[in-house]
Structure formats: structure tokens, C-alpha cells
Amino acid sequence: MITALDHIVVLLEDVKAGTAAYEVLLGRAPSWQNSGDGADRVLFTLDNMSLELMAPHGSSAEADRIRSVIKASGEGLASICFRTPDIAKMHRRLERVALKPEPIAELENRDSVSGATLRWRRTRAATDLTRGVRMFFLELAGERPRSVATVPTPVLGLDHVVIATEESERAAALYGARLGLDMALDLTHADWGQLMFFRCGDLIVELVRRPGTSGDRLHDKLWGLSWRVADIEAVRERLVACGIEVSEVRDGRKPGTRVMNVRSGTRGINTLFLERTPPEP
């Protein structure tokens, strides 16, 4: 039923500041901008998903709800939305696996710059049954416009979204057996804990259980993003020139990858950049 990760929502107090930060980070211009229903929204749409920045706007119940979430949890990753080609079938599956989906809603949104309109059908699973991760499912009527590259070394797409868990077996049952994502890897290491990779389109939903932690065993947490780039050294040079603090490039845990941590300019989101090195001939 799930064919891709459609988008990830980031809640911010100031959408303009967040947009400026991600224009630098991604090396791309926004693809969609909208204000309404108590929120300002800016989308960056890459090859395999969209990043939606959202901030409260005006005085309304929805704006107050967003402000209360930010006050309680801070800015950062707020929810994930999976793409499905048939929302009615997805809704029935969610009911069968006891995730208590909300009724399907018909929605539309108008870009304030181009005037274009997008329409979609959406449902949401009960958050207390998805281990605290706010989770939506969407059937989109048409494709979103892509974010135009503004530099020669833009981010290409998302490589993986990281979800931290203290109960790896229960989390694996949710994403694998109940949602139907295909497990690609289950690896445990004494130094960095347990990693489980679930394929979702051409990116990975990564579950991580850190060693020696004793946090919330009932709730998982959207923890971080790993962005895919073609030339990590060139991207590092660009970010450093923009005043972004980054680590040195190093070999990734997955063979054939090189990575670096981004330590500023992410609006508080744990961020990694990843390059897939081509295999030797």
C-alpha cells in the first residue's frame, strides 16, 4: 500500500528564517508556498520526497495548536506522511491492523506564487498506536513541482529518515508487519546499538536503538535526516563558505558511503549528508 515517503513536516516559529536556512542547506529554492488554516507553509520538493516547513500564522485554533506543540516539544521534526496510490485501500489496511485511522479527508492547497492548486486525499493513524510518531497517509492527485537548484552542488534527495526507539521489536512490528515496509537490514553493534532499515520507495526509514539508553519505552521519536548528495567534498566546501559548521568527511557505516555531520543551520534537526561512492570497476 505504501509506495514512498511523501513528505516530512518541520514545525518552526519563524517560517522565513527556516526557509532561508534550508535554501542554503539544500542548495535549492522553495517549490511551493502557502498561508491558510492558521499556518504558513513552505515546501522543498526533491527527487524522492518533500520537506514541509510549517509555522503558526495569525490567531486561530489551528495556529494556537501549532504554538502549543512547539512550546511543549520545541522546533523540529513533527510528522511523516507516506504516499499511497489508493487511500481507500490504505484506510482499510490501517483499520485491519488496528491503527484507528481518521476518516479520509479531501484537501487542496494553492501556491501563493504561481497560483497552481494541488489536491489530495489523506488519513491519519492514531498517534498513541504509532508509538508517538505523528503519521499520515496521502494519495496525491498530481505531482508537486520540483525545487530548482540554486547552486552546482544541491542536495539530490533524502537518503534516510531516522527514528529513535527504546523498543526495537515493537517498532519493527509497526513499520514491518503492520505498515508493510520491507526490512532491508537488522544489525547490532556494541558501539552504536541496533539499526533496522526499512525500504520506502528509494529511501530508508531507519530505526535506531542506542546502547545504554533508558528513555521512553512507549514512544519513539523522529530523530534526524540524512540527505543524499553527489559530491560530498564540494558540498562541504559550499556549506563552510556559507558559515555552516560541519564535520570532516568520513567513511559511513554502510559500505560504499561517505558522510559528514551538519552541526549548524539545520533549525535544530540532527542532519547528516551522505555520498554513495561508485563501485570500483
Side-chain angles (χ1 to χ4, degrees):
M1 291 289 99
I2 293 173
T3 56
L5 181 61
D6 186 82
H7 66 275
I8 295 173
V9 176
V10 175
L11 292 187
L12 302 168
E13 293 180 346
D14 185 340
V15 77
K16 290 184 179 179
T19 300
Y22 273 87
E23 283 185 290
V24 173
L25 195 69
L26 301 178
R28 293 183 179 272
S31 60
W32 197 269
Q33 301 180 57
N34 171 270
S35 292
D37 298 324
D40 293 322
R41 303 173 186 82
V42 174
L43 268 68
F44 292 86
T45 296
L46 309 181
D47 288 347
N48 62 353
M49 55 80 70
S50 296
L51 183 73
E52 179 178 354
L53 309 181
M54 182 185 297
H57 176 84
S59 299
S60 67
E62 179 62 19
D64 290 343
R65 186 194 66 79
I66 296 172
R67 291 187 181 99
S68 67
V69 172
I70 294 174
K71 183 177 181 180
S73 304
E75 295 185 321
L77 300 172
S79 61
I80 55 177
C81 182
F82 292 105
R83 178 83 68 94
T84 178
D86 191 327
I87 195 67
K89 286 185 178 180
M90 187 76 237
H91 192 274
R92 289 194 293 272
R93 179 185 177 93
L94 295 172
E95 287 182 323
R96 286 199 303 272
V97 297
L99 291 179
K100 295 184 179 178
E102 293 180 351
I104 296 170
E106 304 267 355
L107 301 168
E108 69 175 35
N109 189 282
R110 184 174 179 272
D111 180 33
S112 59
V113 177
S114 68
T117 299
L118 278 175
R119 295 177 178 85
W120 64 93
R121 303 171 72 205
R122 186 190 73 185
T123 187
R124 174 184 175 181
T127 303
D128 60 336
L129 298 174
T130 56
R131 298 189 49 79
V133 175
R134 297 177 72 246
M135 197 175 293
F136 295 83
F137 304 84
L138 174 149
E139 178 187 345
L140 194 60
E143 291 299 318
R144 298 186 184 93
R146 296 291 194 269
S147 288
V148 175
T150 56
V151 297
T153 56
V155 166
L156 304 177
L158 191 68
D159 195 80
H160 53 278
V161 54
V162 181
I163 299 171
T165 184
E166 295 295 326
E167 288 282 355
S168 53
E169 290 187 6
R170 292 182 184 273
L174 170 62
Y175 291 90
R178 300 175 82 183
L179 295 182
L181 300 182
D182 178 38
M183 180 182 280
L185 177 71
D186 184 352
L187 179 65
T188 299
H189 190 280
D191 292 334
W192 33 263
Q194 184 178 10
L195 303 179
M196 291 180 289
F197 288 3
F198 291 85
R199 295 187 182 93
C200 185
D202 80 333
L203 58 82
I204 294 294
V205 176
E206 178 182 345
L207 300 180
V208 178
R209 181 174 59 82
R210 309 285 180 189
T213 57
S214 56
D216 189 342
R217 303 185 72 87
L218 298 177
H219 299 98
D220 302 331
K221 183 179 180 180
L222 287 170
W223 188 85
L225 302 175
S226 177
W227 298 103
R228 192 179 297 161
V229 299
D231 185 341
I232 199 166
E233 297 285 0
V235 173
R236 185 181 189 280
E237 183 178 344
R238 172 176 69 82
L239 293 180
V240 169
C242 292
I244 305 298
E245 183 182 355
V246 297
S247 72
E248 296 295 330
V249 176
R250 64 188 185 279
D251 289 338
R253 290 172 182 164
K254 184 178 180 180
T257 64
R258 297 199 301 157
V259 301
M260 70 176 179
N261 296 91
V262 183
R263 295 171 175 154
S264 68
T266 67
R267 307 300 294 184
I269 296 172
N270 295 299
T271 299
L272 189 81
F273 276 23
L274 178 147
E275 172 196 286
R276 295 178 176 176
T277 56
E280 295 183 3

